[in-house]
Each structure stands twice: as structure tokens, then as C-alpha cells.
Amino acid sequence: MNVSSWLTNSQIDRLDAELIMARAIGKDRTFLHAHPDYEFSAAEFKQIKSDTLRRQKHEPLAYILGEKEFYGRFFTVTPDTLIPRPETEALIDIIKAQKPHKVLDVGTGSGCIAVTLALELPETEVNALDISQKALKIARQNAQNLGAKVNFFESNLLENAQKYDLIVANLPYVDRKWDWLSPELAYEPKTALFAEDGGLELIKKLIKQAPTHLEKQGKLILEADISQHQKIADFATSNSFEIIPSDRQNLALCLALSD
């Protein structure tokens, strides 16, 4: 079996098929484009078929490849961590504009937010927590691989936290009742995806805890579905926060401690 034939027969998205083949043969996609007649070895083809079958069953490509790109860098991911999403990169841009001195990433997962902030803002002290020891292991590995200095620690939301200029959180906010959920979500850790109270349970808990862990005029940056933003804003304004207006169409919601 060669590259061209497998692209015709794989029954998955062409890009996914190319990435699976490239990993199996230890080349990049440009090699595949230049060598469509490349014949796979028996071992290579066995790996390609196995990975393709996993993808046909809707397993996320990031778990098959073991990595996902975020803000121009590749992060190790496993089924113990949520897969970084491109839309979460907006949080990085917002925080960079704030130029905080001391940041906390709540529910760090793979560490993609914390590690990226540490690399993009080298003068900022970056801290990150997660309730999952398995996720923290992956986050620490990513920080080491990418040369980022991040202080990781285990905590249930802000139980073991100090005070910070800015807290960022991409907490579970998916409502199980949403009818547009992808079958791929079945492979990701449920505790990192779903929350009760229409997806807002943990976000509300964090909003209530945050004022005592933020410095004066501190900020809380959240990711949530746009359909949830108004409910979050209403809850936040009744719990010591004001909304920072934004004309950006993304999932980020910016809150600041009220004077």
C-alpha cells in the first residue's frame, strides 16, 4: 500500500489521514505530497491502520498523535487532559495586553495556558493549579519540554491559592443537555468538560471565591460559551465584580473587582 492509495481508501478526513501517515513513517506532510508512491513497510502500515481505525471511531486526532498545537507550540496531551482549543488562544491575547505581575491559571489541564503565558510574558510570575494529579503531571511535562517556568500545585479551585493580580480559568462549562455536542467529546475527561447548573456550577464557585484571592483592581478572565455570558455577568456583578466591555467575538469574559 502506498500514500496515494491509502488516501483514497482511509475513509477519514484527508488532513487527518496525512498526519497519521506522516507520524507512522517519521516524515512530515510535505514528504507525502512529494512522494505519493511511497510504499509503507509492514510495520508502518500496521500503525497507520490502527490509528485510522481509532479515528474512524471518532477518537480525537490529538489523542492519537499525542499532541496538539496551541499558540504556535505543540503540547503533549493524553485522555487525562482536555484537548487545547484554538478559541482558547484569545485568553492569551487578552492577558498579554494586561501585563500582570502575578497570574494564576485555574484548572490548568495540559498546562497550555500557563505555559504559554510564562513564555510570552517572561517577567510575569505564572502559577497553575488543577484538582487532577494526572493532569498536573502532563502540565509539568509540557512546561519542562517547552522551557517554561510555572509553579504548579494541586487544589480544588482556590482552596490552596494565594493572591494574584489576575486569575484565568477555562473550567468545565459544557451543559450535558446541549444538543450539538460532538461524539469526540466522549473520549475527553468528563470532569474537565461538564458542569451542573447549565454548565455554570464551577464558574459560579470560582467567582464567589475569587475576590479574596485577587489584589485590588484584580481581574478574572473566564472562558465560557457565548450563550452563558449574560448569566455569568449577572452573577459576577452581584459578587463584587464589574464587566470589562469587549467588542471581540470570542468565548472570553473579562471581569474586574469593583472599587
Side-chain angles (χ1 to χ4, degrees), residues 96-168:
K96 284 173 66 175
Q98 301 292 328
K99 298 180 180 178
H101 297 292
K102 187 176 181 181
V103 171
L104 174 66
D105 174 26
V106 179
T108 195
S110 66
C112 63
I113 294 174
V115 170
T116 301
L117 288 174
L119 295 172
E120 295 291 320
L121 297 170
E123 301 303 316
T124 298
E125 178 188 323
V126 179
N127 305 270
L129 66 83
D130 205 289
I131 196 172
S132 167
Q133 292 184 359
K134 291 180 178 179
L136 285 170
K137 181 178 179 180
I138 299 300
R140 290 188 177 101
Q141 179 181 332
N142 280 319
Q144 182 176 2
N145 291 345
L146 292 168
K149 183 180 179 181
V150 181
N151 304 313
F152 292 102
F153 61 98
E154 184 180 348
S155 182
N156 182 1
L157 294 180
L158 302 181
E159 283 183 358
N160 300 323
Q162 300 174 357
K163 275 202 170 188
Y164 309 88
D165 303 316
L166 187 149
I167 295 174
V168 58

Side-chain angles (χ1 to χ4, degrees), residues 53-65:
L53 179 61
R54 293 168 65 185
R55 189 70 189 105
Q56 288 172 345
K57 293 179 179 179
H58 302 291
E59 182 172 349
L61 184 66
Y63 289 155
I64 296 171
L65 301 179

Side-chain angles (χ1 to χ4, degrees), residues 178-197:
W178 288 345
D179 58 9
W180 47 265
L181 300 181
S182 166
E184 294 188 2
L185 294 182
Y187 289 88
E188 297 193 71
K190 293 178 175 56
T191 54
L193 279 172
F194 300 107
E196 300 300 321
D197 190 12

